[in-house]
Amino acid sequence: MPTLLEALEEKYGLEPDEKEEHEKEEEAVLVSIFVPKLPPRQSTPQLLVLNDCNIDRAGEPEDLKKKCRIVKELDLAQNKLNNWNEVFVILSHMPRVEFVNLSLNHLTGPIQEPPVTKMDNLRNLVLNNTKLGWCSVETLLRLLPALEELHLSLNEYTHVLIDTIEQQPASGATATANEPPPYQTAPHDGVRKLHLTGNYISEWAEICRIGRVFPQLESLVLADCPLRSLKPSDAEDKENAEESHKYFRNLKLLNLSNAKIDSWEDIDRLAEFPSLSNVRLQYWPLWARTDSTTEHERRQLLIARLPNISILNGGDTIGAVEREDSERSFIRHYLDKPDAERPRRYYELVEVHGKLDPLVNIDLRPERKVKVRFTFEDQSIERTVDVNRTVSDLKSRLERIFDVPAARMRLYYVDQDLRDLGLEEMKYPHKVLYSYNIRSGDEIIIERKVKS
């Protein structure tokens, strides 16, 4: 399997630089705004993409140092790296690197802290599907003081085993194989964004540990995690069971799509997050059983319950008009419900908008079936007519009643309120009857065509 250096030379055609003094020339090229001396194929790009190259180790350190010193973004996803020492060797020769993607490498750990590696510029680290253990995550947090965004999706976590609170097992108790005690982790004030998509975490108490470790967290993605509630359920949090937001004072974006939440009370808990303004709440079991009949009604109920949310499910910013309409609709939704079923938000909105009258249900659709008088010569009968039929269909039906062939039939429509204006011939066979504005009580006169 190739080293990173070999994969780099194969992809970009770089030649080994044997002259030590070229280092200073490279430094000059970096700050120059003119065309560099080396051809483009002989320059390492700042965005270095070497994914799926079967890389399993770093390569010769001095050559790496010369060729990778300008790299700012490194993508090594889906390689064969399985040793963190090799990763640290690679990063030690990229002092400017800010973004690293190591997804789909088997980097479970453990991690031994390197003696000299300095990664003060690394801000974004992607470790999806690496099966990295929480002990190793805790080590990385100590090594990366500038880290702002961390991706730990698809790592098969069932618990979050890091915490800023030391938790010792009770006297005589031992941790189970499935749930060892959490590691005592110092808070990391730099991390603003965390992605945990596709893990198996089901309890909000586990997520609260995330909030304690990352007190400045602004964006938390928990899509495809089977969370059952936003209410902490462990023994320590029972006194503060309603304070789901306690450790998320700065959280602005929360993605809970495909959670297993089935309670409107959890929507109300979201309203307690002081900075939350952007949420994704799609594909919940709650929506399958809600009594709202349309997507629009469901959106209105959510907007009314979440007064601080400005973006819902990735849509446009919620404007003042839509919010007021939603809040008024919310009040009317609970007008006929007993007090026991009305949420606290209902009474808050009544204070703002008053107790509204129900909307009058006005159906503006035309009648589908009307009763019309048909007159042919000295015969006159009433029949119910489906106005969605065409003139041709009507003639075929009348043919059986009045013994007049449809091909020799003329129809004239008479509006009961506009008789003085005369008759309107229904001459177009494919015209639909409702286009004549036919109502019950109108008349249609039938004439037989005279043979010419």
Side-chain angles (χ1 to χ4, degrees):
M1 286 182 282
T3 65
L4 184 145
L5 186 62
E6 290 168 345
L8 176 63
E9 291 172 351
E10 181 179 351
K11 181 170 183 178
Y12 294 98
L14 303 182
E15 295 296 331
D17 188 357
E18 298 178 357
K19 294 185 179 180
E20 197 71 24
E21 58 269 18
H22 282 188
E23 289 184 35
K24 293 183 179 179
E25 292 180 11
E26 287 180 11
E27 292 281 357
V29 170
L30 289 177
V31 297
S32 173
I33 63 172
F34 303 105
V35 178
K37 293 181 181 179
L38 295 176
R41 289 287 294 174
Q42 294 182 3
S43 302
T44 304
Q46 291 188 350
L47 170 56
L48 181 56
V49 180
L50 293 172
N51 52 22
D52 200 14
C53 292
N54 290 318
I55 297 167
D56 66 342
R57 58 195 187 281
E60 206 285 316
E62 287 304 314
D63 283 344
L64 268 180
K65 182 177 180 181
K66 294 173 184 178
K67 290 177 168 52
C68 297
R69 61 172 57 223
I70 69 169
V71 172
K72 289 189 175 181
E73 298 183 42
L74 175 64
D75 187 348
L76 291 177
Q78 204 165 346
N79 280 289
K80 304 298 183 182
L81 293 165
N82 59 14
N83 189 322
W84 274 98
N85 290 335
E86 291 294 327
V87 174
F88 291 139
V89 169
I90 292 169
L91 298 182
S92 67
H93 299 307
M94 300 181 182
R96 303 185 185 191
V97 71
E98 298 176 358
F99 169 92
V100 176
N101 183 3
L102 296 170
S103 298
L104 291 162
N105 287 277
H106 193 65
L107 291 166
T108 57
I111 297 177
Q112 294 182 350
E113 296 188 27
V116 294
T117 300
K118 192 176 182 181
M119 296 174 285
D120 291 347
N121 293 316
L122 186 55
R123 291 178 171 79
N124 192 321
L125 181 59
V126 184
L127 297 168
N128 298 334
N129 207 352
T130 58
K131 309 304 183 285
L132 187 69
W134 284 109
C135 184
S136 298
V137 172
E138 193 267 350
T139 302
L140 287 173
L141 293 176
R142 290 200 303 269
L143 294 173
L144 303 173
L147 190 64
E148 296 177 357
E149 184 167 346
L150 179 60
H151 294 247
L152 295 171
S153 299
L154 300 170
N155 281 331
E156 300 183 0
Y157 299 140
T158 57
H159 298 82
V160 177
L161 301 178
I162 53 176
D163 209 334
T164 58
I165 299 175
E166 185 174 7
Q167 298 184 19
Q168 299 293 339
S171 177
T174 57
T176 65
N178 293 328
E179 189 178 357
Y183 301 103
Q184 185 181 5
T185 307
H188 193 297
D189 290 330
V191 174
R192 300 292 195 274
K193 298 179 181 180
L194 179 65
H195 293 248
L196 284 168
T197 297
N199 286 294
Y200 305 140
I201 304 166
S202 61
E203 299 296 334
W204 189 253
E206 302 294 318
I207 305 302
C208 288
R209 292 175 183 156
I210 292 291
R212 291 195 283 265
V213 173
F214 304 119
Q216 303 303 320
L217 198 65
E218 296 177 0
S219 174
L220 179 57
V221 179
L222 299 170
D224 300 324
C225 293
L227 285 163
R228 294 176 294 192
S229 176
L230 299 181
K231 179 180 179 180
S233 58
D234 61 330
E236 282 200 24
D237 282 313
K238 282 185 178 177
E239 292 183 2
N240 298 319
E242 298 302 319
E243 298 185 42
S244 305
H245 59 283
K246 181 177 180 180
Y247 303 105
F248 298 96
R249 310 302 300 178
N250 299 295
L251 193 66
K252 298 177 182 177
L253 182 151
L254 180 60
N255 187 336
L256 292 170
S257 292
N258 271 320
K260 302 301 181 185
I261 296 175
D262 194 20
S263 166
W264 281 104
E265 286 74 14
D266 285 310
I267 300 296
D268 295 333
R269 291 186 182 100
L270 284 175
E272 300 297 325
F273 286 67
S275 302
L276 193 63
S277 60
N278 186 343
V279 293
R280 284 183 177 268
L281 313 174
Q282 295 163 302
Y283 313 116
W284 284 12
L286 177 61
W287 312 141
R289 69 170 183 81
T290 183
D291 54 3
S292 299
T293 57
T294 67
E295 185 75 24
H296 175 68
E297 289 174 333
R298 182 193 308 164
R299 178 177 172 85
Q300 285 189 319
L301 290 176
L302 285 170
I303 290 173
R305 283 186 182 256
L306 299 170
N308 298 322
I309 298 302
S310 57
I311 300 177
L312 176 61
N313 293 332
D316 293 333
T317 301
I318 300 168
V321 173
E322 183 181 13
R323 181 165 295 284
E324 182 173 347
D325 288 346
S326 298
E327 290 175 352
R328 289 177 172 274
S329 176
F330 184 84
I331 292 173
R332 292 189 172 98
H333 178 81
Y334 284 98
L335 275 179
D336 297 329
K337 301 283 194 303
D339 286 344
E341 294 183 19
R342 290 173 175 170
R344 182 181 62 185
R345 184 63 177 157
Y346 168 82
Y347 299 100
E348 293 173 353
L349 291 176
V350 167
E351 289 291 322
V352 177
H353 300 291
K355 194 168 184 180
L356 307 176
D357 294 328
L359 291 175
V360 178
N361 187 15
I362 301 176
D363 190 353
L364 299 178
R365 294 173 298 180
E367 292 180 89
R368 179 178 176 181
K369 293 187 176 181
V370 296
K371 186 170 286 189
V372 177
R373 177 175 295 278
F374 292 94
T375 301
F376 173 65
E377 295 179 348
D378 58 349
Q379 302 178 59
S380 184
I381 61 173
E382 283 189 350
R383 287 288 186 274
T384 298
V385 176
D386 186 339
V387 296
N388 290 314
R389 292 182 177 273
T390 63
V391 172
S392 177
D393 292 335
L394 179 61
K395 285 183 177 180
S396 297
R397 182 181 177 188
L398 295 174
E399 182 180 43
R400 298 191 295 270
I401 298 175
F402 294 104
D403 196 25
V404 178
R408 299 191 59 197
M409 189 182 296
R410 278 199 176 97
L411 302 182
Y412 296 91
Y413 167 59
V414 183
D415 189 314
Q416 58 189 310
D417 296 326
L418 301 172
R419 287 181 176 274
D420 294 341
L421 298 180
L423 312 179
E424 179 180 359
E425 184 175 359
M426 304 169 74
K427 62 174 69 175
Y428 302 107
H430 299 297
K431 191 171 181 178
V432 183
L433 296 179
Y434 66 70
S435 63
Y436 290 95
N437 295 319
I438 295 177
R439 299 169 296 149
S440 293
D442 290 344
E443 182 180 9
I444 292 177
I445 297 175
I446 305 161
E447 285 188 358
R448 190 193 303 267
K449 290 182 182 178
V450 179
K451 290 184 180 180
S452 55

